[in-house]
Amino acid sequence: TGEIKNKKTANLGNLKFTIIDNKHILLKGSLHKYAHEGFNYSDFTFSNLNSTLQVLGTDFLGNLSNWTIQNIEFGVNITNPAYPSELFFNSILLHKTKSFSPMGSKNPIGIECYHNQYGIKIYSKKIQYKLQEDIMRTEIKTTRMYFLRHYDIVSLADLTYNHKLKHLEILLQNCIDDLLFIDYNFLEANLPIKHKKLIIDSKNPRFWTKLHN
């Protein structure tokens, strides 16, 4: 690896441009937040995404095909879920065999877990932005683009094709299907004594990982 000798940065809203050795440009930030003045708890439709990319391409980026995606986050906001968002993510034990950690060190806003190539975050926009309305967000964060190798998403230009984004929608749904929940309301019911140990054990993520192994 070569040494970075010269690095310059510039900001456009919440987007950060980093110019390295006057040869390479890195772009980091949220297109959703950029389009909505720093917030991402509102809807961000395919039309909104497409318009945002087209404006950025025309005004700053040029050909979107030249901008390779190194990692990406995508998800869904659910407004006023059937269960309060805090109760929902506190009821989640595992994703596949991975346990979750609090999201945020001082004042956690949700939970997250990471696999080798991606992570899953489930958190409350109500807590994050101190909103009156309960908005729960579930999202995938890629840490290696190899995770999306089957979906032909390589550059910013690929995000302007609706059929490619449909693959991400299905991928998100499949990840949600792999969540393991525990219903604490059910546990409050009167159960036969012989079942109580199983119920207590089921609250421990290690119980399920041992079964898997």
Side-chain angles (χ1 to χ4, degrees):
T1 57
E3 180 182 356
I4 297 176
K5 298 179 180 179
N6 184 24
K7 183 169 69 173
K8 301 176 182 178
T9 62
N11 295 311
L12 177 66
N14 79 296
L15 301 179
K16 182 179 180 179
F17 294 82
T18 303
I19 304 173
I20 300 174
D21 293 338
N22 293 321
K23 295 180 181 179
H24 307 287
I25 303 177
L26 300 179
L27 172 61
K28 182 178 181 180
S30 167
L31 296 174
H32 192 167
K33 289 182 178 180
Y34 171 74
H36 289 92
E37 300 180 350
F39 300 100
N40 65 347
Y41 52 78
S42 58
D43 289 337
F44 192 54
T45 65
F46 172 71
S47 178
N48 296 147
L49 172 63
N50 199 35
S51 297
T52 301
L53 286 171
Q54 294 301 330
V55 170
L56 283 173
T58 300
D59 294 346
F60 300 101
L61 305 182
N63 189 344
L64 296 177
S65 298
N66 294 332
W67 290 81
T68 301
I69 299 174
Q70 295 185 342
N71 57 65
I72 188 172
E73 296 183 15
F74 55 95
V76 61
N77 292 339
I78 301 175
T79 303
N80 294 322
Y83 292 94
S85 55
E86 297 93 328
L87 176 63
F88 183 80
F89 56 65
N90 286 332
S91 299
I92 298 173
L93 295 180
L94 298 168
H95 179 259
K96 295 184 177 179
T97 59
K98 292 287 186 178
S99 58
F100 284 82
S101 301
M103 186 177 167
S105 55
K106 294 184 178 179
N107 299 302
I109 62 173
I111 57 175
E112 59 185 354
C113 80
Y114 283 87
H115 299 272
N116 289 333
Q117 299 171 356
Y118 68 101
I120 297 178
K121 300 191 286 186
I122 304 171
Y123 59 99
S124 169
K125 289 292 182 183
K126 177 181 179 180
I127 298 176
Q128 184 182 25
Y129 290 109
K130 297 179 173 58
L131 304 175
Q132 294 296 321
E133 194 171 39
D134 190 10
I135 301 176
M136 181 181 67
R137 181 164 181 83
T138 302
E139 68 184 34
I140 292 176
K141 176 181 180 179
T142 64
T143 53
R144 297 181 181 179
M145 286 301 291
Y146 187 75
F147 179 59
L148 302 180
R149 63 192 180 279
H150 298 305
Y151 307 118
D152 194 26
I153 296 177
V154 178
S155 72
L156 289 180
D158 294 316
L159 301 183
T160 64
Y161 295 97
N162 196 24
H163 71 279
K164 294 187 178 184
L165 298 187
K166 284 292 183 181
H167 294 309
L168 301 186
E169 178 184 340
I170 295 171
L171 182 59
L172 181 63
Q173 291 174 349
N174 291 339
C175 283
I176 293 174
D177 287 341
D178 286 329
L179 292 171
L180 177 65
F181 299 87
I182 188 165
D183 187 346
Y184 286 100
N185 290 328
F186 173 77
L187 300 185
E188 294 174 359
N190 293 323
L191 296 172
I193 295 177
K194 64 180 180 179
H195 295 320
K196 286 188 176 180
K197 184 179 185 305
L198 177 60
I199 295 300
I200 292 173
D201 288 342
S202 69
K203 296 168 64 176
N204 188 340
R206 293 182 180 179
F207 170 78
W208 297 100
T209 54
K210 286 181 179 179
L211 287 180
H212 182 269
N213 295 332

